[in-house]
Amino acid sequence: MEQLKTIGRELAMGSQGGFGQSKEFLDLVKSIGEARSKAEEDRIVLSEIDILKRRLLEPDIPKRKMKEYIIRLVYIEMLGHDASFGYIHAVKMTHDDNLLLKRTGYLAVTLFLNEDHDLIILIVNTIQKDLRSDNFLVVCAALNAICRLINEETIPAVLPQVVELLNHQKEAVRKKAIMALHRFHRKSPSSVSHLITNFRKRLCDNDPGVMGATLCPLFDLISEDVSSYKDLVSSFVSILKQVTERRLPKSYDYHQMPAPFIQIKLLKIMALLGSGDKNASEIMSMVLGDLFRKCDSSTNIGNAILYECIRCISCILPNPKLLEAAADAISKFLKSDSHNLKYMGIDGLGRLIKISPDIAEQHQLAVIDCLEDPDDTLKRKTFELLYKMTKSSNVEVIVDRMIDYMISINDNHYKTEIASRCVELAEQFAPSNQWFIQIMNKVFEHAGDLVNIKVAHNLMRLIAEGFGEDDDDADSKLRLSAVESYLQLISEPKLPSLFLQVISWVLGEYGTADGKYSASYISGKLCDVADAYSSDETVKGYAVSALMKIYAFEIASGRKVDVLPECQSLIEELLASHSTDLQQRAYELQALLALDARAVEGILPLDASCEDIEVDKDLSFLNGYIQQAIESGAQPYISERERSGMFETTDYHPQDHHEVPSHALRFEAYELPKPSGPPQASNELVPVPEPSYYSESHQPISTSLVSERESSEIKLRLDGVKQKWGRPSYQSTTSSSSTTQQAANGTPTYSDAGVGSSSSKPRSSYEPKKPEIDPEKQRLAASLFGGSSSRTDKKSTSGGHKPAKGTVNKPAAVPKENQTPVQPPPDLLDLGEPTATTVTAMDPFKELEGLLDSSSQDGGSSDVMGLYSDAAPVTTTTSVDSLLSELSDSSKGNPRTYQSQTSKGPNTKEALEKDALVRQMGVNPTSQNPTLFKDLLG
């Protein structure tokens, strides 16, 4: 609101200073600025709307007055009121020949209308005319309107003229044309897909503003397809080097930093291009090192460039010197008093620990300070860092901290995220099953409604499977500790529904297993749960099933079952329940109480929750009963096929073909009429076999193998007729090689007189404070960072438990203790060192040897415009006959090298040979940088 008042005062001052505005407009702005309430402001605006409606209906309004009315309409729209009655007048003003009125009309239209408004069609013709204007200011106004108003349907109407403006003599026009094409690409990529090379050409523009505008569409294109722009790495590095050397005019400086926004965009692009590319990373390393040395850390924009450098280093292949420089920059961020810089330091540290885990140990006290900072945003970012650096030695401290923070916040969205992270860390790094159960109890107690139901199932499976070793005593202690903890928690006034389901299941399975608690005590607790949560049918269902298990175990063991009065009343209540599920459970429980011990033991065996149930689909257990019934005179079972008379076999139909009886609906084609006389020639219907085309699976289909039934059918001759719907049939598979754009190292050199030799001002350095360190923080830091186990020593919750009886391939959640860490795979892309390889009999690249030699010779060209040389596309048409001939030649033993441009995906043979080569070399990734894997391998 304050900004709006400021704009109004400036407009009022402008009217007094000679902009030609009337006193009415000055009074309007003044009255709105002095309004004491929203109601008073609305009253003033509504009064102004009534005045403007009357004024705009007057005939022959002077242009000067109309311009003021349009500005007053803009002011009304800015205050949130509807001024649609004046939209058409703004559209009419765009047709005016006066430059000031035209620009005012374009400004109002871009604020009033959206790209789908009905009035857009009225200004397309005006935009087309203005794009051809000799006045570049008119052209710029039209390009500004294009970026805001043109939609996908109207892009073709203005696209050719925008492309022509890329070669305009004015740099401002070229820049806005690039921005318009970028807008078109975002709205409809297919409409400008053939104009991508124009972005490459404008990257070499002599004006730095045009070059900087080109970086934005190139960033979007590189994000979609990185491999197509690898050849521009050297160009981007050269541009960034020229910017850092202050070769651009001083007008691009911001707080004494040369073109900082161009630097940031270049760093983002380099991070994409250097990811996983060793050569590109090596080219970038020098200019990144220069940036760390030249950036002024005393300004916000300098810190922003440093942060973007850290992000770039975390994406490309690691370099020890760059990692050291990034660690120094992070240290400065963390020691700063600014929360924003601390946030940047925590975020950068979280990115670097993925590459070098030992970096976090250098800043452990700073991390602890951020964890205890009152700024909630900084605290959350610190928890993200701790989540990334968790290992089996510090998991207990980190998870306890995260649970305490989860209890203290009220944001359900972030509480769900914290709960899921606690569960994930507990499943991966749990030191013991008892600790895992305790953590799960805390998570369920405080965020049970926000936890995924799979977590509850994993917890129940863990308790059922135990430790995974043949130690029944340890499993019994685990289950007893779970039962005791749940009996203590069950008396809490309000527990989440999912947690109550877990409690009911555990008490039903193991509540009376060790004999410490009686069946009446456990059943009484379960009845209390069902009564307390009577509105939750799922919890009541779990409670009734638990009661059924407890009574079944008592009956199977031969003990007398005494049903408590509250349990009996619960059963009677559920027998008349509206829920069919609860009603069925109650009837099953009532029927189970009347069975003998042998039947109950067969229905609900003790500790059989992990056993697989074998389903007899053939119902073989009824064979004796069926045989006895047949001997007694019963009729044998007649299958549905035999009953309906469907089972018939003919010479022309397979055995599984059945005819539909006459009284049923027929879904098959009518039989073909048998000709009574000799066949007559016809031009319309002739018996032809179905054509067999080259399928998508690239498998040859024999056209000679046609069934007898198909050959006897009469079909339309469809040779050469294109299908209107469905998959195309008659077109041959064609592929054209796209025009290749080769890389160039040369880039435009920007120079400014007297600027290239200027040196940057001395940087201000952070003076680290040396306060007294709290012993409590030291102990916490030692517990967080002192361990030697890495995140690769992951544990799971149930993988080391004993397998269930009769189970096959059950999913495991916890690996065994002391699992050997998995070595990271060798980098197959690292082909820098020459090695001797075994040449196979057929080298698929021999025929391309000449092409590779010629392309490698041109790789060092410094001509940037060579990137955009147009080459004629080569089209290769592959027919079905040629493919069949190729396959027949290969089957005869004729060695031929066949390479079709329609094949997609990597060369499997080449990948296998490269993998075998790496295995023969015995590449050990830890030998390259032993300090990097020190913490990972413990």
Side-chain angles (χ1 to χ4, degrees):
M1 188 62 191
E2 293 297 331
Q3 294 179 354
L4 192 59
K5 292 179 180 178
T6 303
I7 294 174
R9 294 191 189 99
E10 291 177 355
L11 290 173
M13 293 173 63
S15 65
Q16 290 177 335
F19 287 137
Q21 309 301 334
S22 64
K23 187 176 183 299
E24 291 181 359
F25 184 67
L26 174 61
D27 294 339
L28 172 66
V29 175
K30 183 178 180 181
S31 59
I32 290 177
E34 295 176 353
R36 297 180 178 272
S37 63
K38 183 70 168 85
E40 183 179 357
E41 176 187 304
D42 292 342
R43 181 181 57 80
I44 297 172
V45 174
L46 292 176
S47 176
E48 180 67 18
I49 289 175
D50 294 336
I51 294 174
L52 289 176
K53 285 182 178 179
R54 293 194 304 269
R55 297 282 179 83
L56 291 174
L57 293 176
E58 297 177 357
D60 300 330
I61 303 176
K63 294 182 179 181
R64 177 182 173 186
K65 283 290 184 182
M66 181 58 71
K67 175 176 172 292
E68 179 184 332
Y69 294 158
I70 296 297
I71 294 176
R72 289 160 73 171
L73 288 173
V74 171
Y75 198 58
I76 290 173
E77 283 274 338
M78 291 169 60
L79 293 171
H81 293 265
D82 182 27
S84 57
F85 60 90
Y87 289 176
I88 188 63
H89 298 283
V91 173
K92 291 179 179 179
M93 187 170 286
T94 59
H95 305 334
D96 201 289
D97 295 332
N98 185 282
L99 177 60
L100 184 59
L101 296 179
K102 182 182 288 290
R103 296 183 67 178
T104 303
Y106 273 129
L107 174 63
V109 166
T110 54
L111 294 175
F112 289 159
L113 308 181
N114 55 57
E115 60 184 19
D116 297 324
H117 200 277
D118 296 336
L119 295 177
I120 292 295
I121 195 65
L122 300 178
I123 65 173
V124 173
N125 189 30
T126 305
I127 291 176
Q128 290 177 331
K129 181 175 68 69
D130 291 341
L131 289 177
R132 294 189 295 267
S133 175
D134 296 333
N135 190 340
F136 78 97
L137 295 177
V138 175
V139 177
C140 290
L143 289 172
N144 288 337
I146 283 176
C147 294
R148 295 293 301 270
L149 302 178
I150 295 299
N151 53 24
E152 186 174 355
E153 287 75 16
T154 53
I155 285 177
V158 297
L159 181 59
Q161 297 176 4
V162 173
V163 175
E164 291 178 2
L165 293 176
L166 291 176
N167 298 319
H168 198 275
Q169 59 181 355
K170 288 291 184 179
E171 59 275 1
V173 176
R174 298 198 301 271
K175 178 179 178 181
K176 292 183 182 296
I178 287 290
M179 296 169 64
L181 286 180
H182 187 200
R183 173 72 172 178
F184 295 164
H185 178 264
R186 287 189 172 182
K187 298 298 295 183
S188 178
S190 60
S191 63
V192 294
S193 58
H194 60 290
L195 302 173
I196 301 303
T197 55
N198 289 277
F199 295 130
R200 288 174 170 256
K201 293 178 181 179
R202 291 304 104 196
L203 185 63
C204 307
D205 198 282
N206 294 327
D207 184 71
V210 180
M211 180 271 299
T214 310
L215 296 177
C216 296
L218 283 177
F219 176 77
D220 291 349
L221 293 171
I222 294 172
S223 301
E224 297 170 1
D225 184 13
V226 178
S227 59
S228 299
Y229 298 89
K230 289 285 187 180
D231 53 345
L232 294 179
V233 172
S234 57
S235 300
F236 289 126
V237 171
S238 178
I239 293 173
L240 182 58
K241 185 177 181 181
Q242 294 181 52
V243 173
T244 56
E245 292 176 353
R246 297 180 177 272
R247 297 189 183 180
L248 270 65
K250 282 190 175 181
S251 58
Y252 289 91
D253 289 0
Y254 179 77
H255 287 273
Q256 300 179 359
M257 290 296 299
F261 303 105
I262 293 180
Q263 293 188 47
I264 291 174
K265 184 62 69 174
L266 285 170
L267 289 171
K268 289 182 178 181
I269 293 175
M270 289 165 57
L272 295 175
L273 295 174
S275 179
D277 192 332
K278 182 178 179 181
N279 295 331
S281 301
E282 292 177 353
I283 296 174
M284 300 173 186
S285 59
M286 183 175 297
V287 69
L288 289 175
D290 294 339
L291 274 177
F292 277 110
R293 289 189 296 268
K294 295 181 179 180
C295 276
D296 184 9
S297 57
S298 62
T299 59
N300 287 334
I301 193 63
N303 291 324
I305 296 176
L306 285 176
Y307 172 71
E308 203 61 47
C309 289
I310 295 172
R311 291 187 58 186
C312 182
I313 291 172
S314 65
C315 295
I316 65 176
L317 295 183
N319 185 311
K321 293 183 179 180
L322 292 179
L323 289 176
E324 183 179 354
D328 294 340
I330 289 175
S331 177
K332 295 178 181 179
F333 290 157
L334 293 176
K335 293 177 182 178
S336 174
D337 294 333
S338 173
H339 284 128
N340 294 332
L341 295 182
K342 286 184 178 180
Y343 186 93
M344 291 166 54
I346 292 294
D347 183 79
L349 190 60
R351 296 175 184 274
L352 289 187
I353 60 174
K354 299 177 182 179
I355 304 174
S356 180
D358 56 344
I359 292 180
E361 298 181 5
Q362 306 172 8
H363 313 288
Q364 44 187 321
L365 294 179
V367 173
I368 299 301
D369 291 337
C370 295
L371 192 63
E372 298 176 354
D373 197 279
D375 190 343
D376 196 59
T377 305
L378 182 59
K379 188 180 296 185
R380 292 185 181 187
K381 198 66 179 179
T382 308
F383 275 116
E384 292 182 11
L385 173 64
L386 295 180
Y387 167 75
K388 296 177 182 178
M389 55 183 290
T390 303
K391 45 192 176 183
S392 39
S393 61
N394 59 9
V395 63
E396 299 181 36
V397 180
I398 292 178
V399 172
D400 289 340
R401 283 274 183 163
M402 295 176 72
I403 291 179
D404 293 340
Y405 180 68
M406 180 187 67
I407 297 173
S408 64
I409 61 177
N410 297 322
D411 185 0
N412 286 338
H413 177 74
Y414 193 67
K415 183 178 287 189
T416 303
E417 185 178 353
I418 290 289
S420 62
R421 288 180 176 179
C422 290
V423 171
E424 182 181 351
L425 294 178
E427 289 179 348
Q428 293 178 355
F429 306 107
S432 64
N433 288 347
Q434 289 91 343
W435 180 84
F436 177 78
I437 292 176
Q438 293 175 2
I439 294 300
M440 291 297 101
N441 292 345
K442 291 182 180 179
V443 173
F444 279 119
E445 182 179 359
H446 299 287
D449 295 332
L450 308 175
V451 179
N452 195 330
I453 192 173
K454 293 182 180 180
V455 178
H457 295 165
N458 291 338
L459 178 59
M460 290 186 282
R461 187 176 71 245
L462 169 67
I463 297 174
E465 294 178 354
F467 285 96
E469 302 175 356
D470 296 334
D471 190 355
D472 295 336
D473 294 338
D475 295 343
S476 300
K477 291 180 180 179
L478 172 66
R479 293 159 185 164
L480 178 60
S481 63
V483 170
E484 291 177 347
S485 62
Y486 291 154
L487 288 175
Q488 294 176 359
L489 292 172
I490 204 172
S491 59
E492 294 291 332
K494 186 176 181 180
L495 293 174
S497 174
L498 189 60
F499 193 28
L500 288 171
Q501 297 172 24
V502 176
I503 292 175
S504 300
W505 186 88
V506 173
L507 293 181
E509 287 283 344
Y510 308 107
T512 60
D514 59 343
K516 183 176 181 180
Y517 299 100
S518 63
S520 59
Y521 177 74
I522 300 296
S523 59
K525 290 290 186 181
L526 291 172
C527 290
D528 294 341
V529 170
D531 293 338
Y533 300 90
S534 58
S535 60
D536 193 337
E537 295 183 358
T538 306
V539 173
K540 293 177 71 174
Y542 269 82
V544 173
S545 297
L547 288 173
M548 189 184 305
K549 294 177 186 177
I550 290 175
Y551 290 142
F553 298 157
E554 292 293 309
I555 295 174
S557 60
R559 291 189 290 270
K560 182 180 179 181
V561 177
D562 295 329
V563 181
L564 298 178
E566 54 266 27
C567 295
Q568 186 64 39
S569 61
L570 176 64
I571 296 173
E572 295 175 356
E573 176 188 351
L574 296 181
L575 288 175
S577 174
H578 294 290
S579 173
T580 56
D581 178 68
L582 294 178
Q583 193 178 90
Q584 181 179 352
R585 292 174 190 263
Y587 274 108
E588 291 176 354
L589 176 57
Q590 191 179 45
L592 183 137
L593 294 175
L595 297 177
D596 57 358
R598 181 179 178 184
V600 171
E601 186 177 1
I603 295 173
L604 289 174
L606 182 64
D607 194 15
S609 60
C610 294
E611 292 186 359
D612 287 341
I613 300 176
E614 297 181 359
V615 179
D616 187 2
K617 297 182 179 179
D618 298 330
L619 304 179
S620 58
F621 60 91
L622 293 176
N623 290 341
Y625 173 79
I626 294 173
Q627 186 65 27
Q628 183 180 359
I630 292 177
E631 293 176 356
S632 301
Q635 293 294 329
Y637 174 74
I638 302 176
S639 65
E640 183 180 358
R641 297 178 181 178
E642 296 175 353
R643 288 198 304 270
S644 59
M646 295 169 59
F647 190 79
E648 294 182 3
T649 57
T650 62
D651 296 336
Y652 302 100
H653 299 81
Q655 293 184 358
D656 57 350
H657 180 75
H658 316 295
E659 290 185 358
V660 184
S662 58
H663 61 273
L665 294 175
R666 297 180 58 128
F667 296 98
E668 297 181 356
Y670 291 106
E671 296 181 356
L672 297 174
K674 299 180 180 179
S676 58
Q680 298 178 358
S682 176
N683 296 330
E684 297 180 355
L685 299 176
V686 293
V688 294
E690 286 193 13
S692 176
Y693 298 102
Y694 190 61
S695 62
E696 288 186 353
S697 58
H698 301 285
Q699 296 179 358
I701 302 175
S702 176
T703 57
S704 62
L705 300 178
V706 183
S707 63
E708 183 178 353
R709 182 182 180 184
E710 291 177 348
S711 63
S712 63
E713 294 180 354
I714 297 179
K715 300 182 180 180
L716 291 174
R717 184 184 296 276
L718 300 176
D719 296 340
V721 180
K722 181 178 180 181
Q723 295 183 2
K724 189 169 183 59
W725 297 278
R727 185 174 300 164
S729 59
Y730 76 91
Q731 293 93 340
S732 61
T733 306
T734 60
S735 64
S736 61
S737 60
S738 60
T739 305
T740 58
Q741 301 292 339
Q742 297 184 353
N745 299 327
T747 52
T749 301
Y750 308 107
S751 61
D752 186 23
V755 178
S757 60
S758 62
S759 58
S760 60
K761 293 190 176 182
R763 303 184 303 271
S764 64
S765 59
Y766 291 94
E767 296 182 359
K769 301 179 181 180
K770 297 182 179 180
E772 296 182 359
I773 301 176
D774 188 3
E776 182 64 24
K777 291 184 180 180
Q778 289 183 345
R779 287 193 295 271
L780 180 59
S783 61
L784 289 174
F785 302 91
S788 60
S789 303
S790 67
R791 192 180 177 114
T792 56
D793 302 332
K794 293 186 179 179
K795 296 184 180 181
S796 185
T797 55
S798 61
H801 306 137
K802 63 181 180 181
K805 303 175 184 178
T807 59
V808 178
N809 296 333
K810 285 189 69 63
V814 178
K816 294 183 178 181
E817 300 288 341
N818 301 327
Q819 182 180 358
T820 305
V822 180
Q823 294 290 344
D827 187 6
L828 297 181
L829 297 176
D830 189 2
L831 303 177
E833 298 181 3
T835 55
T837 58
T838 304
V839 181
T840 58
M842 290 301 299
D843 189 357
F845 299 100
K846 279 186 176 181
E847 296 184 3
L848 302 177
E849 185 176 2
L851 295 177
L852 293 175
D853 292 339
S854 60
S855 61
S856 62
Q857 292 174 3
D858 298 336
S861 175
S862 60
D863 185 10
V864 178
M865 298 306 296
L867 294 170
Y868 318 112
S869 59
D870 299 330
V874 181
T875 304
T876 304
T877 303
T878 305
S879 63
V880 180
D881 296 334
S882 62
L883 291 175
L884 293 176
S885 63
E886 293 289 342
L887 292 174
S888 62
D889 291 342
S890 61
S891 61
K892 293 178 182 179
N894 298 331
R896 292 182 62 182
T897 301
Y898 176 72
Q899 184 176 3
S900 175
Q901 295 185 1
T902 58
S903 61
K904 299 181 180 179
N907 191 335
T908 309
K909 181 178 179 181
E910 179 185 358
L912 292 175
E913 291 177 357
K914 189 180 296 184
D915 190 15
L917 175 60
V918 174
R919 294 174 182 273
Q920 293 175 5
M921 292 168 59
V923 177
N924 185 6
T926 60
S927 64
Q928 303 296 329
N929 192 357
T931 59
L932 182 63
F933 297 88
K934 178 180 179 181
D935 192 47
L936 290 174
L937 303 179

